[in-house]
Amino acid sequence: AQKITQTQPGMFVQEKEAVTLDCTYDTSDPSYGLFWYKQPSSGEMIFLIYQGSYDQQNATEGRYSLNFQKARKSANLVISASQLGDSAMYFCAMREGNYGQNFVFGPGTRLSVLP
Amino acid sequence: DTGVSQDPRHKITKRGQNVTFRCDPISEHNRLYWYRQTLGQGPEFLTYFQNEAQLEKSRLLSDRFSAERPKGSFSTLEIQRTEQGDSAMYLCASSARDRGTSTDTQYFGPGTRLTVL
């Protein structure tokens, strides 16, 4: 069974609008971490935001925020005020355990920002 | 402050040849990871080092693959007798535990794109 599901293969958003990228996960471990990465066409994976399973508040980093709904096992990424440079692949990833050895990545969502 | 670097960025080789990739992690990071990413997919974990010790290997890492981190700094990933199915992006990441938050965020290099003809 897939541990990370990203149901949106592609998304379009108008410049300056907000967009939500969906991520659901599956784990029985009470301690885990959720991460979002951006991968532009150049190929480098850029860390965006982190949410720990015990964190009480949703994580925010500038224009990025993570809508963490633990009971639903979802960790959606919200990008506010989209910019043309936000066009890229976005991957949700999970680290199981308190200090897991590897990440499990979802299949990704391709975001295209329209002028 | 330098990030994770990988060399080469691109490699084209003929089937059956051996190739070696290098990864230089962020200097204070003791953990190093290798991933493989094929077109349209997310990265898949291959192997993990803590300092010089290789602590975990994925089933994806066949006998033709070997990784080393001899002095706990840079790492190499070698693929022997390459096959067309080995064509992919090979990503390296490094991390260190943040004592304040107990998080362990992986930072990735730009990747090495391998094409096997």
Side-chain angles (χ1 to χ4, degrees):
Chain A
Q2 275 196 334
K3 292 200 170 185
I4 298 286
T5 302
Q6 295 180 255
T7 57
Q8 308 152 313
M11 288 281 287
F12 291 89
V13 64
Q14 207 69 37
E15 193 178 7
K16 301 181 184 177
E17 298 292 314
V19 63
T20 298
L21 306 183
D22 295 342
C23 172
T24 58
Y25 59 91
D26 182 27
T27 182
S28 57
D29 199 313
S31 178
Y32 52 89
L34 297 158
F35 301 76
W36 277 91
Y37 286 84
K38 171 184 178 182
Q39 188 176 42
S41 56
S42 59
E44 185 169 355
M45 298 284 283
I46 302 168
F47 166 69
L48 296 178
I49 196 167
Y50 164 80
Q51 181 83 42
S53 58
Y54 294 119
D55 292 344
Q56 296 296 313
Q57 294 188 326
N58 288 343
T60 60
E61 287 287 347
R63 294 186 299 110
Y64 304 108
S65 61
L66 201 151
N67 184 0
F68 182 45
Q69 298 189 37
K70 195 170 182 177
R72 294 185 176 184
K73 293 188 175 179
S74 75
N76 299 338
L77 177 70
V78 180
I79 306 174
S80 62
S82 298
Q83 302 172 355
L84 295 179
D86 294 335
S87 294
M89 284 291 290
Y90 287 80
F91 291 97
C92 180
M94 177 174 65
R95 182 204 70 226
E96 288 182 298
N98 195 35
Y99 202 23
Q101 317 296 29
N102 67 80
F103 285 8
V104 175
F105 283 84
T109 295
R110 179 170 298 282
L111 177 66
S112 299
V113 180
L114 305 174
Chain B
D1 179 27
T2 56
V4 179
S5 62
Q6 292 186 246
D7 184 70
R9 295 290 306 274
H10 303 273
K11 179 70 177 180
I12 300 174
T13 191
K14 292 183 178 179
R15 185 164 50 93
Q17 297 294 307
N18 298 344
V19 294
T20 300
F21 309 141
R22 176 178 170 128
C23 170
D24 287 87
I26 295 171
S27 58
E28 62 268 26
H29 285 183
N30 62 338
R31 298 177 175 226
L32 187 146
Y33 311 77
W34 284 98
Y35 291 83
R36 182 174 70 184
Q37 185 180 23
T38 52
L39 203 61
Q41 303 294 321
E44 296 173 296
F45 170 77
L46 291 178
T47 190
Y48 153 73
F49 291 85
Q50 181 161 323
N51 300 314
E52 66 277 8
Q54 188 174 19
L55 298 184
E56 189 172 346
K57 291 169 60 174
S58 162
R59 289 172 303 192
L60 294 174
L61 214 64
S62 75
D63 291 343
R64 296 184 298 105
F65 288 69
S66 62
E68 294 182 344
R69 194 182 183 197
K71 297 182 179 180
S73 56
F74 73 91
S75 174
T76 57
L77 177 68
E78 181 183 16
I79 308 174
Q80 296 182 327
R81 305 182 301 282
T82 52
E83 302 173 356
Q84 288 184 328
D86 297 331
S87 295
M89 175 79 87
Y90 290 84
L91 294 165
C92 175
S94 70
S95 72
R97 186 175 184 180
D98 183 321
R99 293 182 180 179
T101 62
S102 294
T103 61
D104 178 23
T105 299
Q106 294 183 21
Y107 294 89
F108 285 78
T112 295
R113 185 172 296 281
L114 173 67
T115 302
V116 182
L117 302 176

